[in-house]
Amino acid sequence: MTPPPELATGRLRLRPLAPADRAAVVALFADPAMSRYFAADFSDPAQARALVAERLAASPPAGQGHWVIEHAGALIGLASLRPSSVLPGAGAEIGYSVATEHAGTGFATEAVTAVLEHAHDFLGLPAVYALVHEDNAASLAVSARTGFLDVGSREHFGATHRVLIALPPARRGRLHHVELWVPDLARAEQSWGWLLGRLGWREFQRWPAGVSWRSGVTYLVVEQVHAGSEHDRIRSGLNHLALHAGTRAEVDRFAGGGHGWRPLFADRYPHAGGPEHYAAYLENEDGFEVELVATDTP
Ligand SMILES: CC(C)(COP(=O)(O)OP(=O)(O)OC[C@H]1O[C@@H](n2cnc3c(N)ncnc32)[C@H](O)[C@@H]1OP(=O)(O)O)[C@@H](O)C(=O)NCCC(=O)NCCS
């Protein structure tokens, strides 16, 4: 079985489930509330161990499978993507659980978003399904927040479950990719790789002269070009790239630069782009400018 790839988000790491996770999964489900809407009671350690064994033995299609959700190095939940035994078609079914002590932090929403992006943008699945017990209000809220549509209900293990479906984002007319020629690939990787990684982009392609990172339907390429062709952002051509960068607090964390970036227009931060516009402007050593715009409400 090929394990699913590791997925990184702003606060979480989703890595493939491993045999060594057994004890932490038993501890995760020790609280009976975690199984309240499941057919089995995983607060029974034997059932939790059986869950891990069943997941480790599964052979899902490439790119699908079972992850543990980690925050600050600790296992705080599980996520999965696998062919559905009850829902038809070529899509996959998602599953997710996050420890009660982390309820209300947005971790579940963040993990589900990462799995959906992986399913739609990397695996190209036509749909992701979720089956959620009709009384599981927290899970229904997560599904609504992450873009699932409620398309009806069905009986499942003797209880009514909502059937939810998440479709891939429309691609037509969206930015496919941007390609930047850079004078020094290692420097570009240091600055662009760090910045894009912080914003949830993932490495997509790599070859001796270049690397690309992808977010959703868009990827950005940096490719080494012969020396003596410096970028000049105030001449004709690319002035800068602007990226959605989360909340104002998240933009604040970028404002000081670092990892090859230095602040631009710092004396007018955060309103250098206008009184209503909250953004950090950075420039890297090779003269490329990036604008990180706060577009999420806290
Ligand atoms: C279902 C489950 C994962 C939902 O967990 P959750 O803590 O409600 O979900 P999140 O971590 O996304 O937190 C969302 C809450 O955090 C708040 N929040 C705080 N910071 C946030 C952030 N940065 N981003 C998003 N939401 C944030 C949200 O406003 C929301 O609160 P609200 O509903 O009062 O508005 C969890 O209850 C669970 O594991 N249950 C047991 C297993 C289970 O039932 N799994 C689902 C099977 S279908």
Side-chain angles (χ1 to χ4, degrees):
M1 181 196 105
T2 323
E6 192 170 305
L7 309 177
T9 73
R11 297 179 294 175
L12 307 172
R13 182 165 88 113
L14 279 69
R15 62 159 177 81
L17 177 71
D21 296 319
R22 194 172 289 114
V25 173
V26 169
L28 171 72
F29 283 106
D31 175 1
M34 290 291 287
S35 303
R36 186 159 159 213
Y37 300 107
F38 294 152
D41 178 8
F42 298 115
S43 67
D44 170 4
Q47 297 212 41
R49 279 195 291 271
L51 169 90
V52 175
E54 176 250 314
R55 293 187 165 203
L56 288 172
S59 318
Q64 299 186 37
H66 297 279
W67 291 271
V68 300
I69 304 172
E70 286 186 342
H71 172 64
L75 188 156
I76 60 141
L78 295 180
S80 61
L81 190 66
R82 52 182 161 176
S84 174
S85 55
V86 289
L87 295 166
E93 186 177 332
I94 193 172
Y96 46 87
S97 299
V98 170
T100 312
E101 63 180 293
H102 295 290
T105 55
F107 285 168
T109 301
E110 200 166 308
V112 169
T113 301
V115 173
L116 282 179
E117 280 183 7
H118 171 65
H120 288 143
D121 302 334
F122 289 85
L123 301 182
L125 295 180
V128 174
Y129 298 105
L131 270 180
V132 180
H133 191 294
E134 63 174 352
D135 297 331
N136 193 348
S139 182
L140 289 172
V142 168
S143 68
R145 212 179 284 119
T146 51
F148 279 86
L149 301 173
D150 187 327
V151 292
S153 65
R154 64 174 288 145
E155 293 303 304
H156 187 54
F157 293 118
T160 307
H161 283 66
R162 304 308 309 173
V163 179
L164 303 146
I165 181 168
L167 299 173
R171 289 161 194 260
R172 190 177 160 80
R174 303 268 302 274
L175 193 61
H176 186 271
H177 72 273
V178 174
E179 185 155 342
L180 300 179
W181 281 3
V182 296
D184 185 301
L185 184 60
R187 275 205 304 270
E189 264 201 67
Q190 191 208 1
S191 56
W192 287 106
W194 170 77
L195 182 83
L196 296 175
R198 282 280 301 268
L199 292 171
W201 294 55
R202 287 159 55 195
E203 187 173 313
F204 177 46
Q205 302 152 311
R206 177 174 288 278
W207 65 102
V211 58
S212 74
W213 298 272
R214 183 168 170 170
S215 171
V217 297
T218 302
Y219 62 92
L220 182 136
V221 182
V222 293
E223 182 163 11
Q224 172 97 42
V225 71
H226 49 82
S229 52
E230 283 72 31
H231 175 64
D232 187 344
R233 65 184 172 81
I234 57 172
R235 295 185 61 175
S236 70
L238 179 77
N239 176 283
H240 67 281
L241 286 176
L243 299 164
H244 297 272
T247 62
R248 291 179 170 203
E250 287 171 299
V251 168
D252 288 344
R253 288 198 281 276
F254 282 114
H259 298 263
W261 296 98
R262 66 173 187 87
L264 279 176
F265 322 125
D267 54 326
R268 287 184 281 143
Y269 181 78
H271 295 300
E276 305 299 325
H277 192 73
Y278 198 105
Y281 296 81
L282 306 174
E283 184 181 35
N284 72 10
E285 288 172 55
D286 294 314
F288 287 96
E289 177 187 338
V290 71
E291 175 182 348
L292 301 161
V293 190
T295 48
D296 289 350
T297 45

